[in-house]
Amino acid sequence: MDSLNSLIDGFGTALTPMNLLWAAIGVLLGTAIGVLPGIGPAMAVALLLPVTYGLDPTGAFIMFAGIYYGAMFGGSTTSILLNTPGESAAVVAAIEGNPMAKAGRGAQALAAAAIGHFAGGMIGTILLVVLAPTVASLAIGIGAPDYFAIMVLAFIAVTSVLGASRIRGIASLLIGLTIGLVGLDQMTGQQRLTFGSLHLADGVDVVIVAVGLFAIGEALWVAAHLRRSTGKPIPVGRPWLGRTDLKRTWKPWLRGPVIGFPFGAIPAGGAEIPTFLSYVTEKRLSKHRDQFGKGAIEGVAGPEAAASASAAGTLVSMLTLGLPTTAVAAVMLAAFQQYGIQPGPLLFEREPELVWGLIASLFVGMVLLLALNLPLAPVWAKLLRIPRPYLYAGILFFAAVGAYAVGGESLDLVILLVIGLIGFGMRRYGLPVLPAVIGVILGPAAEQQLRRALQISDGSVTGLVNTPFSVTVYVIVVLIVAWPLIGRLIARRRGGRKTAEESRTVSGG
């Protein structure tokens, strides 16, 4: 009841005219910035930090929260329509959303994403209010072996369900892990795969990798085929979800937050892992598995709900522990310190108006986001009416601008082109792109957690499986790896029984 009363007081703060204005500005800016490839929510919040010096802390953080959620939706918009993720959490949306758009169902994919974000954000924020202390205490008890196990699960899951074969999925993952090695060793400081370049010592930014593999690779692939056949505008289709679409999406909208919220609350990759795992889950549970890879709406609804819920989970660790689990949380933590506020267990007691006003503003922001983006779904989808030569020329331009904005270095454009050529080659030889992206995102963190776990255990491999949580995760990994073999054995037994029954029937007859 204390939390409920505090939340009601928070609504009194969030619904003041000025704070409503900051929430609306945040949502608008976040959506606009999220649409631009390369300029994600973390960069948006960082760029706006100096602008907020004159604002009161509550108004500033309400606007930052709106930017966070708005940018996540904006990133999924370009993922779906142009196969160009605006930020890493929107990578999964391209897998099913872009084929839907190419099939004339871009507006339906956008509507599924918008409602998924709304459902995930609402459920995640409710869980934030109810479960914040519990989730925070669980996050404290998770160690390096557990983090590494979670990342292994993500690697295995994503390579097992994507592409024509597991071998190609693993090959794609290895490409991503190799790119992730570029830079300085986090433990020893030695250079790896930098070729003597000081610029590469910082590594290759994941946004450049995602934009290069998806946007540049796709544009080059389309350009290679436009010589044979001229591109035609793609029809937009109906703007709203039909009864069949709603029947297929309501369960993913509810399952996504269950996966996304816990992963947002622990430092295990932010929204990337839960979106991947949500996609895997929906593919396993769907009655329309044959449509996955060709435009299954469940593959948009579930991951987008998971991404939005993970954003609420991120705030749990940041507010209760002062522990940033994503880049956005890290920037917001710097903003707290800018105002002389230290997030932690005492924050709810010392700054209740700020904390509960921020939490209440999340509910307000989700309503504003849905009201803004759902009616605009057909408008965004009309981007597909642009002839493909002009469309992909625009994609190349905005991808280059976004990549240059990441570091402000011309070498970033060269790296973008090289990775784009790699993406073109992966399409040519049938390698799925997603495992490479997850390899870049999680590879360095997985290596760090592996080495920490081995250091704690004095180099003993048993240090990787010395907790119940890690053992449970590895059991799940084994089941995922062995499931195709188990499925074949079950099919053979059923086939053998059926043959035996048929032979008995024939002999009895």
Side-chain angles (χ1 to χ4, degrees), residues 305-320:
S308 194
S310 74
T314 296
L315 296 177
V316 173
S317 295
M318 190 193 70
L319 295 175
T320 60

Side-chain angles (χ1 to χ4, degrees), residues 59-218:
F61 286 105
I62 285 174
M63 186 172 73
F64 288 153
I67 292 170
Y68 190 6
Y69 279 97
M72 293 185 75
F73 180 84
S76 64
T77 298
T78 48
S79 266
I80 291 168
L81 297 183
L82 307 178
N83 204 29
T84 307
E87 43 107 24
S88 56
V91 168
V92 178
I95 302 173
E96 302 300 332
N98 191 246
M100 284 183 68
K102 290 180 177 178
R105 287 171 48 81
Q108 283 74 30
L110 286 174
I115 298 173
H117 271 289
F118 177 78
M122 285 293 185
I123 295 172
T125 308
I126 292 171
L127 292 174
L128 167 62
V129 173
V130 177
L131 301 176
T134 305
V135 175
S137 63
L138 290 174
I140 294 175
I142 291 179
D146 305 317
Y147 293 144
F148 180 69
I150 290 172
M151 292 172 187
V152 170
L153 173 61
F155 292 149
I156 296 299
V158 77
T159 54
S160 297
V161 300
L162 297 175
S165 70
R166 290 191 177 193
I167 299 298
R168 290 179 178 176
I170 293 172
S172 176
L173 177 64
L174 290 176
I175 291 173
L177 292 174
T178 303
I179 297 173
L181 286 175
V182 176
L184 295 179
D185 188 317
Q186 296 181 4
M187 297 244 178
T188 65
Q190 293 181 340
Q191 294 190 10
R192 301 187 298 191
L193 303 178
T194 60
F195 306 102
S197 171
L198 291 176
H199 182 76
L200 289 176
D202 291 332
V204 181
D205 193 280
V206 66
V207 171
I208 294 178
V209 176
V211 171
L213 289 178
F214 279 92
I216 305 298
E218 178 76 7

